[in-house]
Amino acid sequence: MEMDCRKMSFPDASFDVLLDKGTVDSMTAASNTREENAAALVNEFARVLRPGGRCFVFSSYGPDEEKDMMTLLQAPDCELRCRVIDFAPYEYPDQSYSYVYTLEKLATAEKGDAGPGEAVLEAEDT
């Protein structure tokens, strides 16, 4: 199966869980298309998630870095959280943190509701 993740052919509310490792980072790498690509991605994520469903985005970009992921990953009818993990994958030895962004489709979301949900930054419990 092959398709553009900014315009998926799946019906609305098809998934309980979505996982991303690298697509969001890659699609938001170029500053001239960053906001446009991020908006298309998260709107599609929100569309194909069932109410109460979650999309997990694993990223090497923190919320206060060049790409403000907490702004880029805002979606209508969703709550966004970021968990800072005090561990970096082996492929990035100079990086001390990884980030998991969780986009949760609000269970009360109705078609046509507008506006993003709450955005929360969480630190890893140590």
Side-chain angles (χ1 to χ4, degrees):
M1 178 179 307
E2 184 177 319
M3 67 181 76
D4 185 337
C5 58
R6 295 166 295 180
K7 192 171 186 178
M8 295 184 269
S9 60
F10 300 114
D12 294 355
S14 294
F15 299 97
D16 292 313
V17 175
L18 300 173
L19 300 174
D20 170 70
K21 173 55 181 109
T23 303
V24 170
D25 282 353
S26 296
M27 297 290 293
T28 58
S31 60
N32 62 328
T33 57
R34 180 173 296 147
E35 288 83 9
E36 178 184 340
N37 280 337
L41 285 166
V42 296
N43 286 331
E44 276 299 279
F45 293 164
R47 183 185 69 76
V48 300
L49 279 173
R50 292 185 181 114
R54 293 180 180 169
C55 174
F56 297 94
V57 176
F58 299 89
S59 178
S60 54
Y61 291 95
D64 57 349
E65 296 182 24
E66 176 188 350
K67 293 196 270 188
D68 181 2
M69 299 296 270
M70 290 298 283
T71 300
L72 290 174
L73 296 178
Q74 289 287 324
D77 308 322
C78 293
E79 178 179 89
L80 177 63
R81 293 183 174 272
C82 176
R83 183 151 180 107
V84 181
I85 308 297
D86 190 13
F87 170 78
Y90 66 89
E91 65 261 31
Y92 303 112
D94 59 333
Q95 182 178 326
S96 24
Y97 299 101
S98 293
Y99 305 88
V100 179
Y101 296 91
T102 305
L103 188 69
E104 181 175 357
K105 178 105 174 233
L106 300 175
T108 58
E110 304 247 347
K111 204 158 184 81
D113 284 354
E118 181 182 2
V120 179
L121 176 64
E122 300 174 335
E124 180 182 35
D125 295 334
T126 54

